[in-house]
Amino acid sequence: MATPSSLESLIEALRCLPGVGPKSAQRMAYHLMQHDRTGAERLSGALQLALDALRHCQRCNTLTEAEICDRCQSTRRDASLLCVVETPVDMNMMEQTHAYSGLYYVLMGRVSPLDGIGPRELHLDRLLARSCDGVVREVIIATNYTNEGEATAHYLSEMLKSRGVSVSRIARGVPVGGELEYVDAGTLAQALRERRPLAP
Amino acid sequence: MATPSSLESLIEALRCLPGVGPKSAQRMAYHLMQHDRTGAERLSGALQLALDALRHCQRCNTLTEAEICDRCQSTRRDASLLCVVETPVDMNMMEQTHAYSGLYYVLMGRVSPLDGIGPRELHLDRLLARSCDGVVREVIIATNYTNEGEATAHYLSEMLKSRGVSVSRIARGVPVGGELEYVDAGTLAQALRERRPLAP
């Protein structure tokens, strides 16, 4: 009487998606198999293609299909500014403000002791080397204004200032407790313009 | 500067999932590629497997891996009762009440003139043949208590009664405007027990 095993596996597999619980997964699986087999086919292929094609940029760490991403290779960006963000989505949000023309470093995470992610797990040595390469004049920390983002910013600023790097933080125009991903571009542009140097 | 094309395609492909808009799709794609490549791999495979394995049961129309599904083949079910539901999920909900031991017919839809789905598009000839096979004594209509579900129930009852088939409707214990999928098993069991014969 049970659900067919291939359907059961699909429901289970759909739960890897963030925010998808058992009910939604069931609904999605039946929807795909009843009403959108073409979409399911396309999704299966797109997942495989993305898995094969995507890797981390050797310079900024974001997801890309090349060794070095387009943005890092561009000669039209101001290489003396380096903006540190938590995720590629946050980087996209920064770009959408059209208020920043420097380069980026994507942490791919944040300091989060509860999840066992300390400064060591974030592999900050590459960020440090990059910040001290003589080209970068200012590192702008644009981690989230959450507890973890703040802890990350604090750790980064201490680390960079001890090496004599000039560090700033985007203004607290981002609502406290909020995440960059869900902020409108105007607010984020303001926060970028009002960035303040961190006290030594 | 754009998002890599394979990532763009994945975001687009994820939008085939019900309830997933551009923001969620983006979040899902980055989550999978950053944090859960194993899950993405499993999902891609599960989709392909389900697409290959699943088809419609020749008797009740639900999704199954065999010609005739386990439930229809069971000798322990009461073949004189036939319960008509809109979707396989609704059928699962009925099963979870443990208040029904008959068989099912899954419409895989509902009468919905606005979506261009009339009685013709639902291929009701097989349901009609099944209802008049001499084994079925009562057809229980368990479509949703939405406008479309009610219209479907009305059409089905007219069609079946004109052939002399005994028809009933689950009680209106299901909240008006609600959908079976989101009702608790107790309420649904009550609605099943209090089913009433439709006036001739």
Side-chain angles (χ1 to χ4, degrees):
Chain A
M1 305 301 156
T3 311
S5 70
S6 57
L7 193 59
E8 202 74 81
S9 305
L10 176 56
I11 293 171
E12 189 52 42
L14 281 164
R15 298 201 44 198
C16 72
L17 299 171
V20 173
K23 271 273 184 187
S24 306
Q26 177 179 267
R27 197 181 175 83
M28 286 173 168
Y30 278 110
H31 170 82
L32 291 177
M33 292 303 123
Q34 272 170 246
H35 301 301
D36 195 4
R37 290 189 166 233
T38 316
E41 188 80 61
R42 200 179 316 122
L43 177 54
S44 174
L47 283 162
Q48 205 53 62
L49 194 72
L51 284 167
D52 293 345
L54 292 176
R55 50 183 149 169
H56 292 281
C57 170
Q58 291 299 307
R59 296 206 75 203
C60 75
N61 215 15
T62 194
L63 291 169
T64 176
E65 293 173 1
E67 275 290 301
I68 309 281
C69 75
D70 291 352
R71 204 174 278 118
C72 286
Q73 287 192 28
S74 169
T75 54
R76 303 171 63 186
R77 317 261 328 181
D78 182 353
S80 69
L81 290 176
L82 185 66
C83 178
V84 180
V85 291
E86 296 182 18
T87 69
V89 176
D90 294 342
M91 183 171 71
N92 290 350
M93 294 303 291
M94 294 296 289
E95 284 297 286
Q96 283 166 34
T97 67
H98 299 293
Y100 182 69
S101 63
L103 294 175
Y104 292 93
Y105 189 85
V106 183
L107 293 173
M108 289 293 177
R110 61 205 68 84
V111 174
S112 175
L114 288 178
D115 302 317
I117 301 172
R120 206 170 303 227
E121 283 70 25
L122 285 179
H123 304 290
L124 297 180
D125 43 331
R126 273 171 54 206
L127 170 57
L128 197 60
R130 177 87 181 274
S131 308
C132 302
D133 65 358
V135 179
V136 173
R137 280 186 301 102
E138 178 184 353
V139 174
I140 304 169
I141 302 180
T143 54
N144 289 323
Y145 265 110
T146 54
N147 289 342
E148 289 91 348
E150 280 282 70
T152 308
H154 179 75
Y155 183 87
L156 285 178
S157 76
E158 293 299 311
M159 179 183 86
L160 293 168
K161 281 188 297 187
S162 74
R163 301 299 205 287
V165 179
S166 173
V167 188
S168 65
R169 179 90 168 99
I170 53 167
R172 201 182 285 267
V174 179
V176 174
E179 298 182 18
L180 260 71
E181 197 174 328
Y182 293 102
V183 167
D184 66 277
T187 307
L188 199 54
Q190 190 68 17
L192 184 68
R193 273 191 293 274
E194 290 181 7
R195 66 183 186 270
R196 56 191 169 73
L198 289 178
Chain B
M1 307 300 155
T3 311
S5 71
S6 58
L7 194 59
E8 201 74 81
S9 305
L10 176 56
I11 294 171
E12 188 53 41
L14 281 164
R15 298 200 46 198
C16 72
L17 299 171
V20 174
K23 271 272 184 190
S24 306
Q26 178 179 267
R27 197 181 175 83
M28 286 172 169
Y30 278 108
H31 170 82
L32 291 178
M33 293 303 123
Q34 272 171 247
H35 302 301
D36 195 5
R37 290 190 166 232
T38 316
E41 189 79 61
R42 199 177 318 122
L43 177 54
S44 174
L47 283 163
Q48 206 53 62
L49 194 73
L51 284 167
D52 293 345
L54 292 176
R55 49 182 151 170
H56 292 282
C57 170
Q58 291 299 306
R59 295 206 76 202
C60 75
N61 215 17
T62 194
L63 292 170
T64 176
E65 293 174 0
E67 277 289 301
I68 309 281
C69 75
D70 291 352
R71 203 173 279 116
C72 285
Q73 286 192 28
S74 168
T75 53
R76 302 171 63 187
R77 317 262 329 180
D78 182 352
S80 69
L81 290 176
L82 186 66
C83 179
V84 180
V85 291
E86 295 182 20
T87 68
V89 176
D90 293 342
M91 182 171 73
N92 289 350
M93 293 302 291
M94 294 296 290
E95 284 297 287
Q96 283 168 34
T97 67
H98 299 292
Y100 182 69
S101 64
L103 295 175
Y104 293 93
Y105 190 86
V106 183
L107 293 174
M108 288 293 177
R110 62 205 67 85
V111 174
S112 175
L114 287 178
D115 301 318
I117 300 171
R120 206 170 303 226
E121 283 70 25
L122 286 179
H123 304 291
L124 298 180
D125 43 332
R126 272 171 56 206
L127 169 57
L128 196 60
R130 176 88 181 274
S131 308
C132 301
D133 64 358
V135 179
V136 173
R137 279 187 301 103
E138 178 183 352
V139 173
I140 304 170
I141 303 179
T143 54
N144 289 324
Y145 264 111
T146 54
N147 289 343
E148 290 90 348
E150 280 281 70
T152 309
H154 178 75
Y155 183 86
L156 286 177
S157 75
E158 292 300 310
M159 180 183 86
L160 293 167
K161 282 187 297 187
S162 74
R163 302 299 206 287
V165 179
S166 173
V167 187
S168 65
R169 179 90 169 100
I170 53 168
R172 201 183 286 265
V174 180
V176 174
E179 298 181 18
L180 259 71
E181 197 174 329
Y182 294 101
V183 167
D184 66 276
T187 308
L188 200 52
Q190 190 68 15
L192 185 68
R193 274 192 293 275
E194 291 180 7
R195 67 182 188 270
R196 56 194 167 72
L198 290 179

